[in-house]
Amino acid sequence: MVYCHVMRRSVFIKTFGCQMNAVDSARMLSLLSSASYRAAATLEEADLVLLNTCSIREKADQKIYSDLGTLRRWKQRRPGRLVGVGGCLAQQDGEALRARAPHVDIVFGTHNIANLPEMVRRAEHRLPTLAIGMEEGITHWDVVPHLPAGAVTAMVAIMQGCDNFCAYCVVPLVRGREVSRPAGEILSEIRALAGRGVREVVLLGQNVNSYGKKEGEIPFPELLRRISAVEGISRIRFITSHPRDLDDRTIRLFGEAATLCPHVHLPLQSGSDRVLAAMGRGYACAGYLAKIEALRQVRPGMAFSSDFIVGFPGETEDDFRETLSVMKEIRFDSAFSFRFSSRPGTRAAEMKEKVDPLVAADRLRRLQELQAAHTRERLSARVGREVDVLVEGASARDPGMRCGRTPCNKTVNFHPGSAEGPVRSVLVTGAGTHSLLGKERPANA
Ligand code: SAM
Ligand code: SF4
């Protein structure tokens, strides 16, 4: 008998940016696994490196071009190595990216993932590819994202792109116009995930509350209701909600469906109505506060997180103080905050009244200090309580400990007991800067 031993090549995927990119990377891995590539544990071991890029802020661009410099030397160290760049920066810079980094073999945009195996095959034969067309729409939704063994939580893209064109944001330009996936497809993906042991799904979209409106699909709250009925799924989360489009029906559902986790990420961006109008966000602060209040009414103890941009063109010290004041009123559990970054092709890039970078940096520091205090306060309030933790794996701080999250999305590192199963009852014994400490309650307690 003759054994034919085929050496599998390996791929290292580095993901930048948001969860949507993380899911796309999982799809890329899935596609390449069926094209005889395995995941490399390190960059040095890999034959192919893919950068799945982000272009939301200028800093992300700079980091990626700096990585590409490193990859030029990486490629020279072993013949036959290949470099591919996908995602938002590839979509945005296209040909210019290859001109700046000629050692890149494949440049592929946000709508061109499905053809990755073909592009890699071409690159193996020294044929470079530039694929950034959006005309065909999204062709990769039926590619099942790679799921790590034993995963209890999974992200599921329900839509892509955005029609909002907020003045500062490059997403509609690089991800394209908003497109929703058919509900039936989403539900079968979730059923399959439940069958593989997944207990929590995180639904992804740039504006999940407008899910299906263009396509005449079922409304978002109905989608949530149907997912709630999937056997095995006990936790549903979604990101990102748009404050303008979060409707009463979805809010009410938080009081009806126990599977909906009591945490909402609702990006406010600014506490000043003047700045919100200039950003083109389509809501004012009072409306935002009313929705937070309504959510707290239907689900007491709900956790909230948000995104903020400081130093948007024309933002004054008074505008900024309004942001701090809304933060004090709401007391978010956590927040992502950024200094405004001017992005090519956006309306804000043309706005004249730029804020001095040092002033913007100082505002960001003040905002982050305030948020850190609120985060500490929110975490400390949980000490002494018992929480249900969905266990995701070993703790990074101590391999003897386990790590998981509460329904409110708080990370908990805890000393395990003897209980079995993915959800453990944990007594919170301490609070850190971003996470909780705990110990598992004995199974018969
Ligand atoms: N679709 C979501 C929404 O409407 O809030 C968020 C999308 S974006 C990937 C995530 C966050 O990045 C935004 O909420 C915003 O705070 C921030 N962001 C987007 N463009 C930015 C820019 N040009 N400068 C600074 N931050 C920006
Ligand atoms: Fe960007 Fe606004 Fe769309 Fe969010 S809603 S992705 S911030 S344009």
Side-chain angles (χ1 to χ4, degrees):
M1 192 181 288
V2 179
Y3 287 98
C4 178
H5 183 70
V6 182
M7 279 281 287
R8 284 182 87 194
R9 286 167 62 84
S10 64
V11 56
F12 188 85
I13 306 181
K14 183 165 176 183
T15 309
F16 296 81
C18 65
Q19 284 90 344
M20 195 62 92
N21 267 10
V23 175
D24 282 348
S25 290
R27 283 205 172 86
M28 291 175 199
L29 188 55
S30 214
L31 280 162
L32 290 173
S33 308
S34 42
S36 287
Y37 272 80
R38 62 177 175 81
T42 62
L43 178 70
E44 224 25 67
E45 173 193 318
D47 302 292
L48 164 67
V49 167
L50 293 179
L51 302 186
N52 190 7
T53 62
C54 170
S55 61
I56 197 88
R57 282 168 291 274
E58 201 180 353
K59 240 191 196 159
D61 288 20
Q62 289 162 353
K63 173 82 184 76
I64 291 154
Y65 278 109
S66 137
D67 272 18
L68 282 175
T70 311
L71 285 175
R72 186 164 45 81
R73 293 183 290 280
W74 170 85
K75 206 176 161 182
Q76 284 162 352
R77 283 202 291 277
R78 199 166 81 206
R81 280 178 160 174
L82 301 171
V83 177
V85 184
C88 297
L89 183 69
Q91 187 69 50
Q92 177 186 281
D93 286 6
E95 191 63 74
L97 189 149
R98 260 240 304 272
R100 260 180 93 170
H103 57 289
V104 173
D105 303 281
I106 308 164
V107 177
F108 60 108
T110 51
H111 289 51
N112 305 86
I113 295 171
N115 294 333
L116 190 56
E118 175 57 27
M119 294 188 261
V120 170
R121 221 165 289 128
R122 280 171 53 86
E124 285 168 353
H125 292 93
R126 295 171 190 268
L127 294 168
T129 303
L130 172 71
I132 53 169
M134 288 187 171
E135 314 74 37
E136 277 187 52
I138 296 155
T139 51
H140 54 259
W141 269 341
D142 57 348
V143 178
V144 180
H146 169 80
L147 185 73
V152 289
T153 175
M155 290 178 283
V156 177
I158 62 165
M159 58 209 294
Q160 180 166 310
C162 186
D163 286 349
N164 283 329
F165 291 91
C166 298
Y168 50 82
C169 186
V170 80
V171 167
L173 309 179
V174 292
R175 283 266 171 196
R177 303 303 296 261
E178 183 183 290
V179 192
S180 295
R181 270 176 96 182
E185 221 177 74
I186 297 168
L187 283 158
S188 27
E189 182 170 329
I190 292 175
R191 279 189 208 104
L193 287 168
R196 294 174 65 186
V198 166
R199 294 289 160 263
E200 173 186 86
V201 285
V202 186
L203 310 178
L204 300 182
Q206 294 300 345
N207 180 4
V208 289
N209 308 104
S210 68
Y211 169 81
K213 285 188 182 155
K214 267 162 79 173
E215 290 79 6
E217 260 296 347
I218 55 170
F220 182 59
E222 177 57 22
L223 178 68
L224 291 176
R225 219 185 45 74
R226 291 192 194 177
I227 297 171
S228 286
V230 173
E231 208 183 317
I233 298 297
S234 52
R235 289 185 178 190
I236 304 170
R237 304 181 188 281
F238 50 85
I239 37 177
T240 300
S241 273
H242 192 292
R244 181 197 57 211
D245 297 326
L246 176 65
D247 62 1
D248 288 348
R249 213 172 138 195
T250 307
I251 293 175
R252 279 200 307 275
L253 201 62
F254 275 96
E256 296 158 13
T259 42
L260 272 194
C261 287
H263 165 237
V264 173
H265 182 68
L266 201 58
L268 175 59
Q269 311 298 359
S270 168
S272 151
D273 287 347
R274 215 177 59 80
V275 174
L276 286 173
M279 287 176 165
R281 290 288 287 174
Y283 55 86
C285 246
Y288 182 94
L289 285 163
K291 288 190 184 183
I292 296 272
E293 192 42 44
L295 283 161
R296 284 190 166 141
Q297 287 290 327
V298 296
R299 197 78 171 264
M302 180 93 123
F304 293 99
S305 56
S306 198
D307 292 349
F308 292 98
I309 296 177
V310 300
F312 185 78
E315 183 192 66
T316 62
E317 175 64 19
D318 282 349
D319 291 320
F320 175 65
R321 288 204 180 144
E322 286 187 54
T323 302
L324 298 182
S325 136
V326 181
M327 288 172 71
K328 286 179 194 155
E329 193 170 342
I330 296 175
R331 303 186 109 75
F332 291 102
D333 292 73
S334 62
F336 297 104
S337 46
F338 314 97
R339 200 147 48 111
F340 167 73
S341 170
S342 183
R343 302 317 289 136
T346 61
R347 293 199 305 290
E350 307 302 319
M351 292 179 181
K352 298 277 176 286
E353 288 177 84
K354 296 282 188 287
V355 172
D356 181 323
L358 290 176
V359 171
D362 188 55
R363 286 182 190 162
L364 186 62
R365 181 191 56 77
R366 286 155 68 198
L367 186 151
Q368 289 179 340
E369 270 176 25
L370 180 65
Q371 182 53 50
H374 292 164
T375 301
R376 267 196 309 275
E377 176 186 294
R378 288 293 192 202
L379 288 168
S380 307
R382 282 174 160 87
V383 176
R385 292 208 217 158
E386 206 173 305
V387 289
D388 283 344
V389 177
L390 179 64
V391 184
E392 291 171 15
S395 162
R397 57 162 64 202
D398 172 352
M401 291 173 82
R402 314 291 287 158
C403 179
R405 270 170 310 128
T406 66
C408 283
N409 213 25
K410 305 268 181 269
T411 299
V412 188
N413 292 291
F414 66 95
H415 295 281
S418 55
E420 309 249 322
V423 180
R424 309 287 172 82
S425 184
V426 172
L427 178 69
V428 179
T429 53
T433 325
H434 298 289
S435 60
L436 297 169
L437 263 181
K439 62 174 186 214
E440 192 178 318
R441 305 278 289 179
N444 55 0

